[in-house]
Amino acid sequence: MTSISVAIRQVLEATDPYAKVKAARAAARGWRKGAFGPADGSAMPDRPGRPAAPELLAPNLMPRRGKAGSQRARIALLHALAHIEFIAIDLAFDMAGRFGASFPDAFTSDWLAVGADEAMHFALLDRRLRALGSHYGALPAHDGLWEAAAETAHDPLARLAIVPMVLEARGLDVTPDMIARADAAGDVATARILRRIFEDEIRHVGAGTKWFEYGCNAAGEAPGFYWRALVGRHFRGSLKPPFNDSARRRAGLTRDYYQVLASLSISPSGEGVRDAEGLRPGQ
C-alpha cells in the first residue's frame, strides 16, 4: 500500500493554487477511506511549490491597504487572508508528512483534516475575491509564515508550539473584530466566511495543543514551561493582549501557557491581520 507520505509530497510540490487545493482534498479523503498506509518518515520538500503570483515581498515593503472601509481595503484584507490560508495548507501537510511517522496515526489524521480545512478556506476567500473583481495573486504578499516552518523543521514540538499555538492562536484573537467590521459594513458574505474560519481554527489550535501536550508527556517535559522555552528560542515576535481567552480556552490553550510571556511584552509587532501575517520565527 502506498504511504500517505507520497500524497503529502504531491500537495507540497503543487504550484498552482487550485491544483494544491485539489491534491489536499484528495489526500485527506483517501486517508479517511484507508487508501494509504502510514507516514513513512521520508523527506519532505524544504520549500513547497508556489505560483508565479503573488509577488512575495519583505514584510516592511508590503503596501498599505488603503482607507478603512473602502473596496480597496476590503480586497487587500481578503487577499492577505487568502495568502495565510494558502500557506496554511502546506503548513498542515508538512506537519503530517515531516513528523507523522513519530506519532500515532491519529496525528496524521488530525493534520490532514486541518490541511483540508485550510484548502476549503482558501477556496472560499478566493471565490469572494473574484466576486469583488479581484483574485488571489493580484496583490503582493510575503512569506513570513513559511519561515516558521523552516525554523522548526527539526523538531515537532517546536513546530507545534509556534505554528498552531502561536500563529494560528493569534487568528483567534483578531478574527472576531474582522467579523464585526464586515457585519458593520453590511458585507454578509465575508462575515459568513470569517465565522466559518474562526470556528475551524479553534479546532486547529486544539489539535496543536493536544499533540504538543502528548509529546511533552512522552518526553517528560512540563507543557507550559517547555512551550515558553520553545517560543523564546524559535519565535521573534510579540505575544500581546488583547487575547480571546474564551476561544483559546476552547482549544485547550489556557492562560497558563501565554500570560507570563505576554506580560514581558517581548518584541512588539503590528496589529490586526498584519500581526497574524507578520509574526516572525526566531533566529
Side-chain angles (χ1 to χ4, degrees):
M1 180 179 288
T2 302
S3 167
I4 187 61
S5 298
V6 174
I8 290 171
R9 279 196 301 274
Q10 290 174 348
V11 174
L12 294 170
E13 291 169 355
T15 57
D16 176 79
Y18 274 88
K20 192 179 291 286
V21 166
K22 183 178 179 181
R25 290 173 169 170
R29 182 171 59 251
W31 174 260
R32 288 196 309 271
K33 292 182 176 181
F36 297 106
D40 61 13
S42 57
M44 294 293 117
D46 290 335
R47 181 173 176 79
R50 291 284 179 265
E55 177 187 10
L56 297 179
L57 302 177
N60 62 346
L61 296 180
M62 289 290 292
R64 301 194 67 81
R65 294 206 176 96
K67 185 177 179 181
S70 67
Q71 182 84 339
R72 175 185 171 191
R74 183 183 307 174
I75 288 172
L77 173 64
L78 287 168
H79 192 278
L81 293 172
H83 183 65
I84 289 171
E85 299 295 336
F86 182 69
I87 303 302
I89 300 170
D90 288 327
L91 289 170
F93 276 84
D94 187 77
M95 181 86 81
R98 189 173 299 271
F99 304 120
S102 301
F103 287 84
D105 285 352
F107 178 93
T108 300
S109 297
D110 280 351
W111 293 108
L112 293 184
V114 169
D117 284 347
E118 308 294 18
M120 180 266 292
H121 297 166
F122 169 80
L124 290 172
L125 289 163
D126 186 54
R127 187 182 307 159
R128 183 63 185 140
L129 281 169
R130 291 178 186 278
L132 294 172
S134 188
H135 63 277
Y136 178 63
L139 299 174
H142 73 76
D143 211 25
L145 289 177
W146 188 254
E147 291 178 18
E151 169 68 21
T152 59
H154 63 292
D155 182 354
L157 292 183
R159 175 70 65 84
L160 290 162
I162 301 303
V163 174
M165 298 177 72
V166 172
L167 300 180
E168 290 201 74
R170 185 58 178 159
L172 301 183
D173 303 331
V174 302
T175 302
D177 181 61
M178 289 189 280
I179 294 170
R181 281 184 278 144
D183 280 334
D187 189 349
V188 175
T190 295
R192 184 183 301 117
I193 293 168
L194 294 177
R195 285 190 177 93
R196 173 62 185 270
I197 291 173
F198 177 74
E199 289 300 321
D200 288 345
E201 296 296 347
I202 291 174
R203 289 191 292 102
H204 300 176
V205 176
T209 305
K210 175 182 75 175
W211 288 111
F212 181 78
E213 292 178 350
Y214 174 94
C216 284
N217 290 335
E221 300 284 357
F225 179 84
Y226 197 52
W227 181 81
R228 290 187 289 275
L230 290 170
V231 170
R233 189 178 308 151
H234 296 291
F235 181 70
R236 186 175 72 248
S238 70
L239 299 178
K240 66 176 185 178
F243 298 112
N244 188 339
D245 291 326
S246 63
R248 286 169 172 251
R249 186 167 56 252
R250 285 174 61 191
L253 187 61
T254 62
R255 289 171 63 90
D256 294 343
Y257 275 99
Y258 56 85
Q259 191 58 45
V260 171
L261 289 184
S263 68
L264 298 177
S265 300
I266 56 173
S267 299
S269 62
E271 296 179 352
V273 74
R274 282 196 182 274
D275 205 356
E277 288 183 276
L279 296 172
R280 314 290 285 174
Q283 295 296 323

